[in-house]
Amino acid sequence: MRQLEVALIGAGLIARFHLDAWTTVGASVRVYSTDGRAEELANEFGAKAVGSLDEALDGADAVDICTPTDSHYDIAMTAIAAGVGVVCEKPLAAGTAEAEEIVAAAEQAGVPLYPTHNVRFAPAYARLHELVAAGSLGTGTVARFTVAGYHPRPWTGHASARSGGILTDQLLHGVDIAYWVFGDVVRVHAAYQGDIAAPAPTGAIGVATVVLTHASGALSQVVGRWTATPQPPFRLTYRVSGTGGTVHYDSEWPQEIQVFGDAAANFGHFGEKPFVSEIREFAQGFLGGPEPRLGPRDALAAIRITQAAAESAWTGRAVELTVKGAAA
């Protein structure tokens, strides 16, 4: 199998995770960033730094967009026009209209487009999807998903939240899982509370909550929290119940492996890293293998739901959605 040529755009923390994953799956990567950090990141992983977007795209099979959300549209559309496949960090675009344009352009050009919703690739969430798809939890399903992560204070203000923030960025992780597991969403009701004083025990300084009514009849609650301290940097939980039983997960649990002493504080997910699993599926897709477990229509669904959540939070009213496609 030939080596995949990837143009990685950005040199921040997410770009580092992606570059590590691309390197692990054997891709050849050139890195471009406007902040002057491309060369340092590329050298660390044995990649190549380039000086422009055009140079990065020249001869590439895929571009991997790891830049701020408001730059996704221009980079994606430039890549698609050049016939280059697209991997894009979530959310795909700053709003639904831009996301729809990107998806339409990729479909018209016949260019692969893969959004990076990495939580789908965590073993515990893949297993939940299997259980629900098999009917193991029965009917009358009710679910609660939580996502908590560290963000510095300037990111948590009211103005930041109105422009996206937790409602349309961090909350997307849980929204995407709820959509993936239970299917299309027909009603969204959300609330947001920001600039709070980090009450114990959660340490939250911004909280967003959304209740999703699925076309299947399932109900999902997704809670996102910005936390005041960087430890743990990211925490995920779910509790899903139906007539057939309940399944509960917390990323802070040791799972099948117990770790003691200083090592316990640094112990992460068991199994392959979600970023590596995700990038491996994308790489196989670009090289003609099976399609990944999520695609452009999933990115659109997540953005439509989170945009509806933002509208609901600011108006105080539920938002009805029209089903525009089935879940993957």
Side-chain angles (χ1 to χ4, degrees), residues 108-327:
Q108 184 174 0
V111 169
L113 171 61
Y114 302 138
T116 62
H117 299 175
N118 63 288
V119 176
R120 284 202 191 195
F121 296 83
Y125 289 84
R127 180 60 179 146
L128 174 64
H129 181 268
E130 292 172 356
L131 287 170
V132 173
S136 300
L137 294 182
T139 59
T141 313
V142 177
R144 187 174 193 267
F145 302 96
T146 73
V147 183
Y150 170 67
H151 280 265
R153 274 282 183 183
W155 289 88
T156 63
H158 180 70
S160 174
R162 287 188 66 98
S163 65
I166 195 170
L167 284 159
T168 57
D169 183 71
Q170 188 204 61
L171 203 70
L172 186 145
H173 285 296
V175 162
D176 177 64
I177 291 297
Y179 168 77
W180 184 41
V181 172
F182 298 113
D184 294 302
V185 173
V186 296
R187 192 170 191 266
V188 179
H189 199 177
Y192 170 75
Q193 183 181 12
D195 295 321
I196 54 182
T202 66
I205 54 177
V207 179
T209 302
V210 59
V211 176
L212 308 176
T213 302
H214 298 266
S216 63
L219 289 175
S220 298
Q221 181 191 53
V222 181
V223 180
R225 295 187 182 93
W226 271 328
T227 59
T229 57
Q231 293 297 331
F234 208 61
R235 182 181 182 184
L236 299 164
T237 76
Y238 64 69
R239 187 178 185 90
V240 182
S241 298
T243 56
T246 296
V247 58
H248 190 190
Y249 167 75
D250 189 322
S251 62
E252 289 198 334
W253 291 347
Q255 306 302 327
E256 291 86 354
I257 302 171
Q258 293 187 350
V259 184
F260 301 95
D262 293 341
N266 300 315
F267 187 79
H269 289 283
F270 58 93
E272 189 172 56
K273 297 176 184 177
F275 279 105
V276 174
S277 296
E278 178 178 55
I279 293 299
R280 189 185 304 282
E281 285 195 17
F282 294 163
Q284 291 170 347
F286 282 122
L287 292 171
E291 282 298 301
R293 69 190 70 176
L294 78 163
R297 294 291 161 179
D298 299 296
L300 272 182
I303 290 174
R304 286 173 178 143
I305 296 166
T306 55
Q307 291 287 313
E311 178 183 344
S312 175
W314 305 130
T315 63
R317 298 188 296 272
V319 175
E320 306 292 332
L321 292 180
T322 300
V323 174
K324 295 188 177 183

